[in-house]
Amino acid sequence: MATDQTRTVSGDAPDDPADLLPEESILSLDEYLDMHAAVGHRTRYEVLYRLVHVGEMSPKELEAALDIDDSTLHYHLNKLVGVGLVEKRQRTERGQDGLYTYYRATVFGEVTLTDGVDELIRGEQAFEEMYDSSTA
């Protein structure tokens, strides 16, 4: 005889995680999840980390800082731009001809990095203390 293995969400959490979003949310749950998935790749995390902590950077500056080739960098930049974590800007430089491209983190990029992965890394000590069986 099979038993009913269904469980319900406890506390104040809604049954459907999409219900966590404000009624007039500008992004869907899938868009938020896409942002977190994008930053889950090491190269994209490092690109976003630089843009948040250093500021606006050109592709050449990012290539040099990360020691990666142009095509790899642009692949990852396109992913970050596509999910809204990074924005691409073009501008002219004083005394120079043509447009120069720069990338910078969006507000979503900053929050995803600083309140997401970076916060987990900073909290490692607390996690170790919480789960360290040798101190019990």
Side-chain angles (χ1 to χ4, degrees), residues 11 13 16-17 20-21 27 32 58-59 71-72 83 85 90 96 98 107 112 116 128 132:
D16 182 355
L20 291 168
L21 298 172
L27 298 176
Y32 281 111
S58 72
S71 62
T72 301
V83 298
L85 296 175
Q90 292 184 323
Q96 300 289 321
V107 171
T112 298
E128 283 181 2
D132 185 0

Side-chain angles (χ1 to χ4, degrees), residues 41 43-44 47 63 66-79:
H41 187 282
T43 300
R44 290 190 289 271
V47 168
E63 286 173 36
L66 300 173
D67 194 28
I68 59 175
D69 64 79
D70 180 60
S71 62
T72 301
L73 174 65
H74 281 87
Y75 170 81
H76 291 294
L77 281 169
N78 287 336
K79 291 277 190 185

Side-chain angles (χ1 to χ4, degrees), residues 1 18 33 37 55 58 60 63-64 86 93-94 102 130 133-134:
M1 172 187 235
L33 295 174
S58 72
K60 290 291 182 202
E63 286 173 36
V86 168
E93 296 287 324
R94 184 173 292 186
Y102 292 88
M130 191 182 316
S133 63
S134 67

